[in-house]
Amino acid sequence: MGGQIVDATLVAAPKQRNTVPEKEAIKAGTSAAEIWPDQPAKAAQKDTDARRTLKFAKGRPLPGGKPGIDIASPSFGHKSSIAICRRYGFIRRGKVTDGARFDGRMLRDVVTTDNTASDVWADTAYRSRSNEAWLKSIGRVSRVHRKKPKGKPMPAGTARANAAKSTVRARIEHVFARQKDQMGMFIRTIGIARAETKITLANLAYNIDRLILHERRAAMG
């Protein structure tokens, strides 16, 4: 029942209305004070650390078993990457980045080596030769979803294995749902430092809530 589960979620922030040149300057890493030198009040309200990205949602299967069309929705904000322990559900490590950061790049920032079980669950975004080699080098066992072969149907055995992994990996979605739906996690501050502080506090609050749950179960059992 041990091991760890890895995933990431987009944490929305108020959308910025910038011109094309301003967007290009932000992407190039130019500071807000440099982009709006004559408008200090405006510069103070511009979050140049957050990024725009597309959030994809799997489409429902069509009649006849055909795959549905995935839905892409634009999002602006930051990304929270976490690893939770499978057995107790505590958030063991987290990392906050801009919203456009690719999930797979964050595996090494959140996977821990102090878990007594070696299994690591994650979705296909984390599947790469580099990540697989790294997990093996630190003594972790990859339970990362396998990708569908390009231009070919998914092998039945791989589909069954992915489905079995999904039953485990789905537990981390409860963490994000708790933070967004019940805690109302939304970034209203400016800059990644403050965003990181808020998301980290949300992670701590979730762990405290989880600890209370386990203590109640122990008292009742």
Side-chain angles (χ1 to χ4, degrees):
M1 291 296 292
Q4 54 196 301
I5 309 170
V6 176
D7 205 355
T9 189
L10 289 164
V11 183
K15 294 180 180 179
Q16 307 275 307
R17 297 183 180 277
N18 300 319
T19 64
V20 173
E22 289 170 348
K23 290 178 182 178
E24 293 301 322
I26 291 171
K27 288 180 180 179
T30 309
S31 68
E34 293 174 307
I35 299 173
W36 298 279
D38 301 325
Q39 299 173 283
K42 182 176 182 178
Q45 296 300 315
K46 290 292 185 178
D47 191 344
T48 57
D49 293 327
R51 291 289 185 275
R52 294 183 182 275
T53 187
L54 289 176
K55 184 177 180 179
F56 291 90
K58 286 288 184 182
R60 293 183 179 181
L62 301 173
K66 294 182 179 180
I69 300 174
D70 292 349
I71 301 172
S73 56
S75 180
F76 179 82
H78 301 274
K79 183 168 285 188
S80 170
S81 299
I82 62 172
I84 68 170
C85 60
R86 179 189 175 190
R87 185 171 185 179
Y88 297 107
F90 290 112
I91 299 172
R92 298 298 301 275
R93 185 175 291 175
K95 180 75 173 180
V96 179
T97 62
D98 63 80
R101 186 70 60 91
F102 180 60
D103 293 0
R105 292 178 58 189
M106 306 310 301
L107 185 74
R108 305 184 188 199
D109 290 272
V110 294
V111 167
T112 66
T113 57
D114 58 356
N115 196 299
T116 54
S118 58
D119 304 278
V120 176
W121 281 267
D123 64 27
T124 54
Y126 297 88
R127 168 71 68 170
S128 70
R129 291 182 180 178
S130 175
N131 282 346
E132 293 297 299
W134 179 76
L135 287 173
K136 186 176 181 180
S137 72
I138 62 170
R140 302 294 97 179
V141 176
S142 174
R143 305 295 182 191
V144 181
H145 282 221
R146 291 189 177 275
K147 299 178 181 179
K148 186 180 82 66
K150 203 174 222 182
K152 298 179 181 179
M154 176 73 82
T158 303
R160 285 193 299 270
N162 281 351
K165 293 172 184 175
S166 291
T167 61
V168 176
R169 198 188 63 79
R171 298 181 185 183
I172 200 168
E173 300 295 343
H174 297 265
V175 179
F176 298 138
R178 169 84 168 130
Q179 290 180 327
K180 291 184 177 182
D181 297 341
Q182 298 182 23
M183 295 183 184
M185 190 163 67
F186 185 86
I187 303 301
R188 299 186 184 278
T189 54
I190 304 298
I192 195 164
R194 288 176 177 149
E196 184 175 15
T197 299
K198 181 166 185 176
I199 292 172
T200 301
L201 288 173
N203 291 346
L204 289 172
Y206 176 85
N207 279 351
I208 292 171
D209 186 64
R210 193 74 185 170
L211 176 61
I212 293 171
L213 172 65
H214 286 301
E215 288 185 336
R216 284 177 178 172
R217 286 177 175 175
M220 293 173 64

